[in-house]
Amino acid sequence: MKDKYDFSNAEQGKFYRPLEELDIPIYLDNEVKAFFIQKLRARAKDQSFSLNEMINALLKKDIEISIQLIS
């Protein structure tokens, strides 16, 4: 490590991204992931679905149910 660093040409906030723009990875338990991959394979015959789309659809439905329970 240097004793001194030259920050005279530095640009503040160059790599800053608001939290809302960040994609946060979500890690599923192995048994949960295996269940949904099995479901995707079963549906792949009829339509094309992604794991992201399926998980997001379920979470959105859970949000709707939670809002109804709170209201």
Side-chain angles (χ1 to χ4, degrees), residues 8-57:
S8 59
N9 293 324
E11 184 179 331
Q12 186 174 3
K14 182 176 183 177
F15 299 104
Y16 171 77
R17 284 180 32 191
L19 185 59
E20 296 82 24
E21 293 180 14
L22 294 177
D23 287 327
I24 301 169
I26 308 268
Y27 300 99
L28 302 174
D29 291 342
N30 288 333
E31 60 270 10
V32 173
K33 188 166 112 178
F35 174 81
F36 286 109
I37 288 175
Q38 180 183 6
K39 291 293 182 185
L40 282 173
R41 285 189 186 131
R43 285 191 167 188
K45 297 172 187 172
D46 303 330
Q47 301 171 358
S48 63
F49 285 96
S50 75
L51 186 58
N52 284 342
E53 289 173 357
M54 186 177 283
I55 299 297
N56 278 315

Side-chain angles (χ1 to χ4, degrees), residues 54-66:
M54 186 177 283
I55 299 297
N56 278 315
L58 285 169
L59 290 172
K60 289 175 184 177
K61 193 64 176 174
D62 283 347
I63 290 170
E64 288 176 19
I65 292 169
S66 296

